[in-house]
Amino acid sequence: MGKPEFIGKKSKAAGGWGALKSCGKKLLASGSPLSGAVTMLKANQPDGFDCPGCAWGDPEHGSSFEFCENGVKAVAWESTDKRVKPDFFKKHTVSELRTWTDYDLEREGRLTHPLRYDAATDRYVEAGWDEAFGEIAGVLNSLDSPDRAEFYTSGRASNEAAYIYQLFVRLYGTNNFPDCSNMCHEASGVALEQAVGIGKGTVLLEDFEKADAIFVIGQNPGTNHPRMLGDLRRAALRGARIAVFNPVREKGLERFADPQDKLEMITGGSTPIASEYFQVRVGGDMAAVRGMAKAVFAADDAALAAGRPSVLDRKFLAQHTDGFEAYRAAVDATTWEQIEDQSGLSRAQIEELAQIYIGANRAICTWAMGVTQHRHSVATIREIANFLFLRGNIGRPGTGLCPVRGHSNVQGDRTVGINEKPPAAFLDALENEFGVPMPRRHGHNVLAAIGAMLDGSSQAFIALGGNFARATPDSPLIAKALMNQKLTVNIATKLNHSHLLPGKVSYILPCLGRTEIDRNADGAAQIVTVEDSMSMVHGSGGINKPASPELRSEVAIIAGIAEATVGSKVVDWKSLAHHYDRIRDLIARTIPGFEDYNQRVRRPRGFRLPNGAAERIWNTPTQKANFASPALPEQTEHQQAVAQKGTFVLQTFRSHDQYNTTVYGLDDRYRGVYGERRVVFVNPADLEEIGAEAGDRVDIIGRYEDGIERVAESFRVVPYELPRGSVAGYYPELNVLVPLSSAGELSDTPTSKSVLVSFRLSEQAQAA
Amino acid sequence: MNDDARDDITEEDFLKAVSALSSEEPAFSPLAAAILAALHFGIAKDSRTFSRKFDIAHALVLREVSALADDLALLVVTARNQKNQRTEFAPAEKALQLFARALK
């Protein structure tokens, strides 16, 4: 062995940080021997830790959870010391637990044992894994068609779990894959596939370092993707213009104190994020973007008339796009009156925004649920793409489309086959690999699955994570649908409300969380992989001892159900569960872009999946980037609301102490709400029309006309900075008001951001 | 092991200790040996301090601490901060014996 090189002066160990860091680098230096006896190093593999929170990209993969507030909450929530052991259910019946909030249920801690529902006592009781797999398989195989079972996926599932899940389900014989993306970014996938040939964003994190203008549309990153604020902050600090469109005045988007900036944290300072903040009306984003396009066209006309260069990227438009003239005609046919009324912005404001766009050589548009959960979401996203095409703002550094996904692997799950309408090429590849036919019939998305469960045509529901009953619209209908099932299975880390709506046979199967070390029977630690919003695929290994020795990984649980249900003749499930590299090898052989998966995912930051649109390769029928030319919606829900006295348009959103349906706490500090969740935010000027004062308790009544009475009872009125006619509150509490039958055109996404409602004082308030 | 950090430990001493611990227990990763050496010299008694002083991702340190505590019974976890996962630890009897053998 060579004597270790001494670097620097003799240091005091406790204080010589610089020297110690050099020690650290030595320890992690790849491959070089330290002592000759031990090879460096197990730990240099980039099997870091992927935060189980959001899907924002991670420049220094491995430790982000230390810095992001929501990541910390997610990790702490999962790694709690509290446990829900079988004894817990001796104290509480399922009926009683149904009266608890999800916050209280999850706060009880981690599930430790497989559980089976006992209808006679209305309690869950401990079960064995083999017993569970056998009975689940028995029910599934008793159904007269595989299409009578629904297989739900939460965006938490890793690529490996999702891939073998889809493989099992397709071998079982159906494409019924309702998944959580059906309720969030489905509209983005549909619109982008049409526009640019890939249903994903085109940007990398590095693009945020180069953009001159960033348009943040219908999104609240301060609460939902806090790490994105760091990138926006850095962009703002170097002078990029950040224009925000949001009906709600979100504090986190206005100023941001970076937790990594010690001086800022100590002094209480913060950095302005949005250079322009526009409170667009709910559902008015398409009009706002079209207005900007109209102003850009006007500026272009003026430039050409004055003999100046075009403000459009004429070369890009000619070489790379289809439908430009029709789009120009559609924009010309859209009046400023329509644009102003629908967007709530003035022509002058919109022209100001257009100038920001024209002044930027590189522009990015980002968006999230504020855009995707309307009837016209697909059209709005197409409009955003149109807008970027005008100046060639796609497929070059510092530009692009950026739908910001929610759960950490929601994008990856779709990539590896969780898709009720699988591409033929993918099914062909599976058939080629496994030598058996795959089902070709399109399956059910979330809304279709609920419909089938309600009308009795589906009789089994298996959930790979999530809280289906709370995430979905029309909560009482979902409860009925689940309890109608012959079989319900929930693979979960913690107890939630969906588990308390058991079918005739019902199991809760406790799984490892992402924070936990996943060892196979040989004691080897396994990694899983995930894909972030930027199409980057990276590995993640656990950091903690599992909450219970009884827990199994999601992969192992799916393998167990699969082996019991479809047997191991075609797929050796045990072998796949024993070593996830084998699953990754299958993915590499059946899905383009995953070549050398096991090698590349172990490199720092992993690898990026192919993204044609990011390289100006358009995998569309026209082989071009496609403009869309629809008219604006005849009337948005906001316009309908203001036309009817006493009617408002409700949007549901998260609190700051919440991630999807998981509620970590009862505070919403950016919005100044503490210790409660049953609140409704209203414009102070609307209080008189509502007939309430600040602090009053009101019932919120759904106005969707399908004969179903929808009431959310006893919500406290909180005056807030919203456009008049708009109100807002938290899901899942307000999902009772979201109609199942109101969905996005072409996307089937629930219209959770545009629900017509009215108010009445609650009985409690009336009595007072 | 000292309770307080010794002020006479050089980088060379530290790396020698890592090497000695690794030789004694070939199953150790260098990082695991470094965590033990740092504990022995009083440099870091928790995962986050080790992570920061050695500029190694906290996730990697946590994973090794978990292995040292749960699988090898060399460390006893004494506290964990739920917010940042800082994990405090002390040497188990088995680790003290190891230190006595390897670092004499």
Side-chain angles (χ1 to χ4, degrees), chain A residues 3 47 66 72 519 541-542, chain B residues 12 19 48 63 70-71 83:
Chain A
K3 187 178 177 183
D47 50 352
E66 290 185 76
V72 166
R519 293 192 190 281
Chain B
E12 189 174 20
S19 179
R48 199 167 162 92
R63 194 173 299 139
D70 302 329
D71 301 340
K83 268 192 161 183

Side-chain angles (χ1 to χ4, degrees), chain A residues 259-435:
Chain A
Q260 293 182 66
D261 186 327
K262 300 294 180 289
L263 182 62
E264 205 165 67
M265 294 306 286
I266 290 166
T267 61
S270 59
T271 302
I273 299 293
S275 42
E276 315 293 334
Y277 200 115
F278 291 103
Q279 286 183 270
V280 67
R281 285 179 180 150
V282 169
D285 301 297
M286 181 179 178
V289 177
R290 179 150 301 185
M292 289 195 292
K294 195 172 179 72
V296 169
F297 281 130
D300 187 58
D301 291 344
L304 295 178
R308 297 192 304 269
S310 172
V311 303
L312 305 182
D313 186 340
R314 297 276 176 185
K315 190 175 170 188
F316 174 82
L317 292 170
Q319 284 185 359
H320 288 284
T321 69
D322 184 79
F324 171 69
E325 294 303 331
Y327 177 62
R328 170 77 203 239
V331 172
D332 288 346
T334 310
T335 67
W336 277 110
E337 185 185 14
Q338 285 177 291
I339 290 166
E340 288 185 320
D341 188 45
Q342 211 159 91
S343 70
L345 306 182
S346 69
R347 178 174 176 173
Q349 287 175 312
I350 292 171
E351 287 174 338
E352 184 188 336
L353 283 161
Q355 283 307 314
I356 293 174
Y357 182 63
I358 291 168
N361 286 323
R362 302 176 181 90
I364 288 172
C365 286
T366 77
W367 68 91
M369 303 300 96
V371 165
T372 64
Q373 292 182 327
H374 299 279
R375 275 184 302 122
H376 57 292
S377 294
V378 170
T380 301
I381 297 160
R382 296 294 305 270
E383 191 70 21
I384 292 169
N386 292 340
F387 178 62
L388 287 181
F389 295 161
L390 293 179
R391 288 177 49 78
N393 278 310
I394 185 167
R396 59 189 176 91
T399 70
L401 295 151
C402 183
V404 184
R405 308 273 172 174
H407 223 319
S408 56
N409 198 38
V410 63
Q411 185 162 307
D413 290 345
R414 180 62 57 89
T415 301
V416 300
I418 303 299
N419 190 345
E420 78 279 6
K421 298 179 202 164
F426 174 60
L427 297 179
D428 291 345
L430 290 180
E431 289 181 354
N432 189 46
E433 176 70 27
F434 297 102

Side-chain angles (χ1 to χ4, degrees), chain A residues 368-665:
Chain A
M369 303 300 96
V371 165
T372 64
Q373 292 182 327
H374 299 279
R375 275 184 302 122
H376 57 292
S377 294
V378 170
T380 301
I381 297 160
R382 296 294 305 270
E383 191 70 21
I384 292 169
N386 292 340
F387 178 62
L388 287 181
F389 295 161
L390 293 179
R391 288 177 49 78
N393 278 310
I394 185 167
R396 59 189 176 91
T399 70
L401 295 151
C402 183
V404 184
R405 308 273 172 174
H407 223 319
S408 56
N409 198 38
V410 63
Q411 185 162 307
D413 290 345
R414 180 62 57 89
T415 301
V416 300
I418 303 299
N419 190 345
E420 78 279 6
K421 298 179 202 164
F426 174 60
L427 297 179
D428 291 345
L430 290 180
E431 289 181 354
N432 189 46
E433 176 70 27
F434 297 102
V436 293
M438 294 288 158
R440 298 273 166 170
R441 303 170 303 283
H442 284 179
H444 293 156
N445 61 11
V446 162
L447 294 189
I450 293 169
M453 288 194 286
L454 281 171
D455 70 19
S457 54
S458 281
Q459 297 164 345
F461 177 83
I462 295 182
L464 179 56
N467 186 353
F468 188 78
R470 283 296 194 239
T472 43
D474 265 334
S475 312
L477 282 179
I478 307 307
K480 187 178 161 197
L482 286 170
M483 294 178 80
N484 277 345
Q485 299 298 290
K486 287 183 178 172
L487 172 70
T488 54
V489 178
N490 285 281
I491 299 168
T493 55
K494 285 186 167 187
L495 192 62
N496 68 43
H497 197 77
S498 296
H499 311 159
L500 307 175
L501 302 165
K504 190 175 172 193
V505 173
S506 184
Y507 280 95
I508 303 172
L509 303 179
C511 64
L512 295 173
R514 200 176 292 165
T515 58
E516 290 164 327
I517 298 170
D518 178 359
R519 293 192 190 281
N520 65 13
D522 294 339
Q526 311 243 38
I527 63 164
V528 295
T529 60
V530 294
E531 176 186 343
D532 67 26
S533 277
M534 279 82 181
S535 304
M536 295 295 300
V537 180
H538 35 76
S540 182
I543 55 175
N544 293 329
K545 182 184 177 184
S548 157
E550 292 295 318
L551 300 186
R552 293 194 184 181
S553 70
E554 288 182 320
V555 168
I557 294 170
I558 296 160
I561 297 173
E563 185 177 38
T565 307
V566 300
S568 294
K569 193 173 171 187
V570 175
V571 175
D572 184 347
W573 302 104
K574 277 198 175 78
S575 168
L576 295 181
H578 186 71
H579 206 314
Y580 301 169
D581 277 6
R582 294 167 189 157
I583 302 175
R584 286 185 283 271
D585 284 340
L586 286 176
I587 295 174
R589 290 203 293 271
T590 51
I591 303 176
F594 284 94
E595 297 79 11
D596 299 323
Y597 194 174
N598 279 308
Q599 289 72 42
R600 288 195 293 158
V601 84
R602 289 187 165 91
R603 294 176 192 154
R605 285 194 74 190
F607 63 95
R608 192 184 197 196
L609 288 169
N611 190 311
E615 298 167 31
R616 296 191 169 179
I617 298 165
W618 317 105
N619 295 313
T620 61
T622 61
Q623 300 291 296
K624 297 279 180 75
N626 292 316
F627 278 95
S629 310
L632 293 183
E634 197 170 319
Q635 209 174 28
T636 62
E637 276 71 11
H638 186 273
Q639 289 173 306
Q640 293 173 41
V642 296
Q644 304 170 56
K645 188 168 171 51
T647 301
F648 297 82
V649 61
L650 166 78
Q651 64 164 310
T652 65
F653 54 28
R654 294 175 185 163
S655 78
H656 195 60
D657 273 0
Q658 175 180 0
Y659 202 84
N660 290 346
T661 53
T662 300
V663 177
Y664 301 124

Side-chain angles (χ1 to χ4, degrees), chain B residues 40-55:
Chain B
H40 175 74
F41 291 128
I43 296 169
K45 300 172 191 172
D46 71 81
S47 59
R48 199 167 162 92
T49 299
F50 184 93
S51 164
R52 290 186 166 176
K53 288 187 173 178
F54 288 83
D55 199 20

